[in-house]
Amino acid sequence: MARHGITRRRLLGAAAGLGAATAAAGGLAGCGFTRDRDELLFGFHGDTVSIGIYESIVELYRRKYPEARIGYTYADSWGFSQRLPLMLRGGTAPDVMVVAESWVSGLSHLGGYADLTDFVEADGLTEDRWVPGSLNPARIGDQLLCLPVIVYPKGIAYNATLLTERGVPLPQPGWSERDVVETAAAVASGGDRVWGMPAAFGLFPYDVATVHGGLPFSVESRTMTATDERMVSAVELISDLIHEHRAMPTGAQSQYAVNFTSGVFGMELFPGYALASYREQIGTRFEWGVAPYPAEWVGTYQNNNVAIFGGSRRKEEAWHFATFLSTDPDAQRLLQPIGTPALATAAAQWQDDLQPEDRALPWTQMLQDMDRQLVAYQGGIFNKVWDILGQEVEAVQTRDVPVREALRQVQERGTQILRA
């Protein structure tokens, strides 16, 4: 299925290609393969910008704590995520590591992450230290497996120029799902190939499933929940936008595989981590804005965290560096180019430092909304279930397969996978 829009997964894919090229030139260390036994090892991932930022944070730590011995290793994001399960199982993971929210939840069953509950309680760290929802991905059962580093608030981007040309009111605070659908339908026009929204809101299939708060499975019980009414209503929303309102192209229509920045879509899910990319690609071609999710929507939570390897022999040192990365204002400030700082005070300063047109976006509401959003558990066997969901939602889109039948297939096939 074609994916539209700027997504973190697309950015990670691009980073993977960049990372592979750099590794071939000898510029990337193989994370988990080398370490100095006399120093703490910090592992991180990303593109060249992210890597440079994390290197700067290590240097900042060394300046603030000259007695500390810390080294680092890194890889592209795709390579890091692929090797992480092997490192956790084999005992070769870095002492401290940057991990996406889904890598924590999806791989927690491997037992490779240290439980940080006692450390948090001993240091008196309270949840209000960070922006709303920041600790949600860390809570797995009765454990706390990571601390937040940066967050990615979400909303819906809209093409103000296009909507105004069509005589469609611009999104207002407090708008509803019905308003979203009506706006998408009013903008769409098959004659000049203008669409209300790209297929699947840009982050397929995670945001499709979770629009109304549903997930295709329960991580705790390892059972399938694909036929839950929240899942049904979410996929029906996508189906209606495609088949009833003609406001969204199907995934098979590759000729429309362009994103919001092309100017031919009225709206798209807005990934807060791609703000610079939006500005650069849109330029002066059209005016745009962002509205928070409608009240009926839940959606997925995304961030990056710092975790400690359960097998580390330097847990106290690891905790000191982990809290530095998550709570030191200077370290958090260095992270601003790649996301919204998770530390509440740093996030407020980040908003103040934005250009006026970016500062005007509804960051406060989008950050508050993250507290109720879901983590789209990924990793290992769960990825197979997501793949099946993607196949079946594509069948709804391209072949008009009934939603309940498609989700019944997901339920049955997913049950076989989880049982195996």
PDB file of all heavy atoms in Angstrom, residues 125-146:
ATOM      1  N   LEU A 125      11.494  11.684  41.457  1.00  0.00           N
ATOM      2  CA  LEU A 125      11.064  12.209  40.169  1.00  0.00           C
ATOM      3  C   LEU A 125       9.558  12.003  40.014  1.00  0.00           C
ATOM      4  O   LEU A 125       9.073  10.874  40.073  1.00  0.00           O
ATOM      5  CB  LEU A 125      11.798  11.501  39.020  1.00  0.00           C
ATOM      6  CG  LEU A 125      13.305  11.759  38.929  1.00  0.00           C
ATOM      7  CD1 LEU A 125      13.907  10.951  37.786  1.00  0.00           C
ATOM      8  CD2 LEU A 125      13.580  13.235  38.730  1.00  0.00           C
ATOM      9  N   THR A 126       8.825  13.074  39.834  1.00  0.00           N
ATOM     10  CA  THR A 126       7.384  12.990  39.660  1.00  0.00           C
ATOM     11  C   THR A 126       7.026  13.216  38.199  1.00  0.00           C
ATOM     12  O   THR A 126       7.784  13.833  37.436  1.00  0.00           O
ATOM     13  CB  THR A 126       6.667  14.022  40.535  1.00  0.00           C
ATOM     14  OG1 THR A 126       7.179  15.327  40.237  1.00  0.00           O
ATOM     15  CG2 THR A 126       6.892  13.716  42.006  1.00  0.00           C
ATOM     16  N   GLU A 127       5.861  12.718  37.818  1.00  0.00           N
ATOM     17  CA  GLU A 127       5.470  12.739  36.408  1.00  0.00           C
ATOM     18  C   GLU A 127       5.368  14.143  35.832  1.00  0.00           C
ATOM     19  O   GLU A 127       5.580  14.347  34.633  1.00  0.00           O
ATOM     20  CB  GLU A 127       4.137  12.001  36.255  1.00  0.00           C
ATOM     21  CG  GLU A 127       3.765  11.718  34.822  1.00  0.00           C
ATOM     22  CD  GLU A 127       2.703  10.646  34.695  1.00  0.00           C
ATOM     23  OE1 GLU A 127       2.325  10.061  35.750  1.00  0.00           O
ATOM     24  OE2 GLU A 127       2.252  10.386  33.577  1.00  0.00           O
ATOM     25  N   ASP A 128       5.035  15.124  36.683  1.00  0.00           N
ATOM     26  CA  ASP A 128       4.872  16.476  36.170  1.00  0.00           C
ATOM     27  C   ASP A 128       6.201  17.127  35.774  1.00  0.00           C
ATOM     28  O   ASP A 128       6.230  18.249  35.282  1.00  0.00           O
ATOM     29  CB  ASP A 128       4.139  17.360  37.175  1.00  0.00           C
ATOM     30  CG  ASP A 128       4.848  17.453  38.527  1.00  0.00           C
ATOM     31  OD1 ASP A 128       5.958  16.888  38.673  1.00  0.00           O
ATOM     32  OD2 ASP A 128       4.280  18.079  39.448  1.00  0.00           O
ATOM     33  N   ARG A 129       7.306  16.416  35.979  1.00  0.00           N
ATOM     34  CA  ARG A 129       8.595  16.923  35.515  1.00  0.00           C
ATOM     35  C   ARG A 129       8.606  17.022  33.983  1.00  0.00           C
ATOM     36  O   ARG A 129       9.287  17.861  33.417  1.00  0.00           O
ATOM     37  CB  ARG A 129       9.702  15.966  35.984  1.00  0.00           C
ATOM     38  CG  ARG A 129      11.115  16.352  35.560  1.00  0.00           C
ATOM     39  CD  ARG A 129      11.629  17.534  36.338  1.00  0.00           C
ATOM     40  NE  ARG A 129      11.711  17.262  37.761  1.00  0.00           N
ATOM     41  CZ  ARG A 129      12.821  16.821  38.382  1.00  0.00           C
ATOM     42  NH1 ARG A 129      13.923  16.634  37.707  1.00  0.00           N
ATOM     43  NH2 ARG A 129      12.802  16.619  39.688  1.00  0.00           N
ATOM     44  N   TRP A 130       7.816  16.143  33.344  1.00  0.00           N
ATOM     45  CA  TRP A 130       7.811  16.071  31.882  1.00  0.00           C
ATOM     46  C   TRP A 130       6.455  16.499  31.319  1.00  0.00           C
ATOM     47  O   TRP A 130       5.498  16.697  32.064  1.00  0.00           O
ATOM     48  CB  TRP A 130       8.131  14.645  31.439  1.00  0.00           C
ATOM     49  CG  TRP A 130       9.473  14.168  31.913  1.00  0.00           C
ATOM     50  CD1 TRP A 130      10.692  14.484  31.382  1.00  0.00           C
ATOM     51  CD2 TRP A 130       9.749  13.301  33.017  1.00  0.00           C
ATOM     52  NE1 TRP A 130      11.706  13.881  32.076  1.00  0.00           N
ATOM     53  CE2 TRP A 130      11.159  13.137  33.088  1.00  0.00           C
ATOM     54  CE3 TRP A 130       8.952  12.638  33.942  1.00  0.00           C
ATOM     55  CZ2 TRP A 130      11.778  12.344  34.052  1.00  0.00           C
ATOM     56  CZ3 TRP A 130       9.563  11.852  34.910  1.00  0.00           C
ATOM     57  CH2 TRP A 130      10.952  11.708  34.960  1.00  0.00           C
ATOM     58  N   VAL A 131       6.367  16.635  30.008  1.00  0.00           N
ATOM     59  CA  VAL A 131       5.113  17.032  29.379  1.00  0.00           C
ATOM     60  C   VAL A 131       4.089  15.903  29.544  1.00  0.00           C
ATOM     61  O   VAL A 131       4.459  14.746  29.786  1.00  0.00           O
ATOM     62  CB  VAL A 131       5.308  17.366  27.881  1.00  0.00           C
ATOM     63  CG1 VAL A 131       6.271  18.529  27.711  1.00  0.00           C
ATOM     64  CG2 VAL A 131       5.800  16.152  27.099  1.00  0.00           C
ATOM     65  N   PRO A 132       2.785  16.194  29.441  1.00  0.00           N
ATOM     66  CA  PRO A 132       1.755  15.173  29.682  1.00  0.00           C
ATOM     67  C   PRO A 132       1.957  13.915  28.842  1.00  0.00           C
ATOM     68  O   PRO A 132       2.263  13.985  27.647  1.00  0.00           O
ATOM     69  CB  PRO A 132       0.459  15.896  29.290  1.00  0.00           C
ATOM     70  CG  PRO A 132       0.750  17.336  29.519  1.00  0.00           C
ATOM     71  CD  PRO A 132       2.193  17.515  29.147  1.00  0.00           C
ATOM     72  N   GLY A 133       1.776  12.772  29.490  1.00  0.00           N
ATOM     73  CA  GLY A 133       1.839  11.503  28.779  1.00  0.00           C
ATOM     74  C   GLY A 133       3.224  10.946  28.571  1.00  0.00           C
ATOM     75  O   GLY A 133       3.367   9.829  28.048  1.00  0.00           O
ATOM     76  N   SER A 134       4.256  11.678  28.965  1.00  0.00           N
ATOM     77  CA  SER A 134       5.618  11.262  28.636  1.00  0.00           C
ATOM     78  C   SER A 134       5.994   9.899  29.185  1.00  0.00           C
ATOM     79  O   SER A 134       6.773   9.169  28.572  1.00  0.00           O
ATOM     80  CB  SER A 134       6.616  12.299  29.148  1.00  0.00           C
ATOM     81  OG  SER A 134       6.558  13.490  28.411  1.00  0.00           O
ATOM     82  N   LEU A 135       5.477   9.545  30.353  1.00  0.00           N
ATOM     83  CA  LEU A 135       5.837   8.268  30.963  1.00  0.00           C
ATOM     84  C   LEU A 135       4.922   7.120  30.534  1.00  0.00           C
ATOM     85  O   LEU A 135       5.166   5.971  30.919  1.00  0.00           O
ATOM     86  CB  LEU A 135       5.825   8.386  32.488  1.00  0.00           C
ATOM     87  CG  LEU A 135       7.006   9.129  33.128  1.00  0.00           C
ATOM     88  CD1 LEU A 135       6.853   9.151  34.637  1.00  0.00           C
ATOM     89  CD2 LEU A 135       8.330   8.491  32.743  1.00  0.00           C
ATOM     90  N   ASN A 136       3.899   7.402  29.758  1.00  0.00           N
ATOM     91  CA  ASN A 136       2.975   6.329  29.356  1.00  0.00           C
ATOM     92  C   ASN A 136       3.680   5.166  28.653  1.00  0.00           C
ATOM     93  O   ASN A 136       3.392   3.999  28.949  1.00  0.00           O
ATOM     94  CB  ASN A 136       1.859   6.885  28.477  1.00  0.00           C
ATOM     95  CG  ASN A 136       0.894   7.765  29.247  1.00  0.00           C
ATOM     96  OD1 ASN A 136       0.947   7.830  30.471  1.00  0.00           O
ATOM     97  ND2 ASN A 136       0.017   8.448  28.542  1.00  0.00           N
ATOM     98  N   PRO A 137       4.581   5.417  27.697  1.00  0.00           N
ATOM     99  CA  PRO A 137       5.248   4.280  27.036  1.00  0.00           C
ATOM    100  C   PRO A 137       6.151   3.494  27.965  1.00  0.00           C
ATOM    101  O   PRO A 137       6.500   2.347  27.671  1.00  0.00           O
ATOM    102  CB  PRO A 137       6.069   4.952  25.926  1.00  0.00           C
ATOM    103  CG  PRO A 137       5.441   6.284  25.710  1.00  0.00           C
ATOM    104  CD  PRO A 137       4.942   6.692  27.064  1.00  0.00           C
ATOM    105  N   ALA A 138       6.544   4.094  29.098  1.00  0.00           N
ATOM    106  CA  ALA A 138       7.480   3.431  30.010  1.00  0.00           C
ATOM    107  C   ALA A 138       6.801   2.385  30.872  1.00  0.00           C
ATOM    108  O   ALA A 138       7.459   1.460  31.360  1.00  0.00           O
ATOM    109  CB  ALA A 138       8.142   4.474  30.910  1.00  0.00           C
ATOM    110  N   ARG A 139       5.491   2.521  31.062  1.00  0.00           N
ATOM    111  CA  ARG A 139       4.785   1.652  31.999  1.00  0.00           C
ATOM    112  C   ARG A 139       4.362   0.357  31.313  1.00  0.00           C
ATOM    113  O   ARG A 139       3.437   0.326  30.492  1.00  0.00           O
ATOM    114  CB  ARG A 139       3.557   2.373  32.550  1.00  0.00           C
ATOM    115  CG  ARG A 139       3.893   3.593  33.396  1.00  0.00           C
ATOM    116  CD  ARG A 139       2.644   4.118  34.083  1.00  0.00           C
ATOM    117  NE  ARG A 139       2.939   5.243  34.955  1.00  0.00           N
ATOM    118  CZ  ARG A 139       2.795   6.513  34.595  1.00  0.00           C
ATOM    119  NH1 ARG A 139       2.352   6.810  33.383  1.00  0.00           N
ATOM    120  NH2 ARG A 139       3.084   7.479  35.446  1.00  0.00           N
ATOM    121  N   ILE A 140       5.045  -0.707  31.661  1.00  0.00           N
ATOM    122  CA  ILE A 140       4.714  -2.032  31.143  1.00  0.00           C
ATOM    123  C   ILE A 140       4.431  -2.921  32.349  1.00  0.00           C
ATOM    124  O   ILE A 140       5.342  -3.242  33.118  1.00  0.00           O
ATOM    125  CB  ILE A 140       5.870  -2.622  30.304  1.00  0.00           C
ATOM    126  CG1 ILE A 140       6.303  -1.644  29.211  1.00  0.00           C
ATOM    127  CG2 ILE A 140       5.437  -3.955  29.696  1.00  0.00           C
ATOM    128  CD1 ILE A 140       5.242  -1.324  28.187  1.00  0.00           C
ATOM    129  N   GLY A 141       3.161  -3.269  32.526  1.00  0.00           N
ATOM    130  CA  GLY A 141       2.783  -3.994  33.733  1.00  0.00           C
ATOM    131  C   GLY A 141       3.032  -3.131  34.949  1.00  0.00           C
ATOM    132  O   GLY A 141       2.618  -1.970  35.004  1.00  0.00           O
ATOM    133  N   ASP A 142       3.754  -3.663  35.930  1.00  0.00           N
ATOM    134  CA  ASP A 142       4.055  -2.896  37.143  1.00  0.00           C
ATOM    135  C   ASP A 142       5.471  -2.331  37.102  1.00  0.00           C
ATOM    136  O   ASP A 142       6.014  -1.928  38.138  1.00  0.00           O
ATOM    137  CB  ASP A 142       3.871  -3.763  38.385  1.00  0.00           C
ATOM    138  CG  ASP A 142       4.764  -5.010  38.368  1.00  0.00           C
ATOM    139  OD1 ASP A 142       5.450  -5.253  37.351  1.00  0.00           O
ATOM    140  OD2 ASP A 142       4.767  -5.746  39.373  1.00  0.00           O
ATOM    141  N   GLN A 143       6.078  -2.290  35.917  1.00  0.00           N
ATOM    142  CA  GLN A 143       7.435  -1.789  35.784  1.00  0.00           C
ATOM    143  C   GLN A 143       7.465  -0.442  35.058  1.00  0.00           C
ATOM    144  O   GLN A 143       6.530  -0.085  34.331  1.00  0.00           O
ATOM    145  CB  GLN A 143       8.312  -2.787  35.019  1.00  0.00           C
ATOM    146  CG  GLN A 143       8.497  -4.117  35.733  1.00  0.00           C
ATOM    147  CD  GLN A 143       9.447  -5.031  34.978  1.00  0.00           C
ATOM    148  OE1 GLN A 143       9.406  -5.127  33.760  1.00  0.00           O
ATOM    149  NE2 GLN A 143      10.314  -5.705  35.715  1.00  0.00           N
ATOM    150  N   LEU A 144       8.563   0.283  35.252  1.00  0.00           N
ATOM    151  CA  LEU A 144       8.823   1.525  34.535  1.00  0.00           C
ATOM    152  C   LEU A 144      10.160   1.340  33.829  1.00  0.00           C
ATOM    153  O   LEU A 144      11.204   1.265  34.480  1.00  0.00           O
ATOM    154  CB  LEU A 144       8.891   2.704  35.514  1.00  0.00           C
ATOM    155  CG  LEU A 144       8.902   4.103  34.893  1.00  0.00           C
ATOM    156  CD1 LEU A 144       7.504   4.446  34.376  1.00  0.00           C
ATOM    157  CD2 LEU A 144       9.345   5.134  35.924  1.00  0.00           C
ATOM    158  N   LEU A 145      10.128   1.251  32.494  1.00  0.00           N
ATOM    159  CA  LEU A 145      11.292   0.769  31.759  1.00  0.00           C
ATOM    160  C   LEU A 145      12.104   1.846  31.051  1.00  0.00           C
ATOM    161  O   LEU A 145      13.114   1.520  30.426  1.00  0.00           O
ATOM    162  CB  LEU A 145      10.850  -0.293  30.735  1.00  0.00           C
ATOM    163  CG  LEU A 145      10.159  -1.530  31.321  1.00  0.00           C
ATOM    164  CD1 LEU A 145       9.860  -2.535  30.222  1.00  0.00           C
ATOM    165  CD2 LEU A 145      11.021  -2.167  32.417  1.00  0.00           C
ATOM    166  N   CYS A 146      11.703   3.100  31.115  1.00  0.00           N
ATOM    167  CA  CYS A 146      12.477   4.135  30.431  1.00  0.00           C
ATOM    168  C   CYS A 146      12.076   5.510  30.934  1.00  0.00           C
ATOM    169  O   CYS A 146      11.092   5.655  31.665  1.00  0.00           O
ATOM    170  CB  CYS A 146      12.272   4.056  28.905  1.00  0.00           C
ATOM    171  SG  CYS A 146      10.560   4.218  28.372  1.00  0.00           S
TER     172      CYS A 146
END
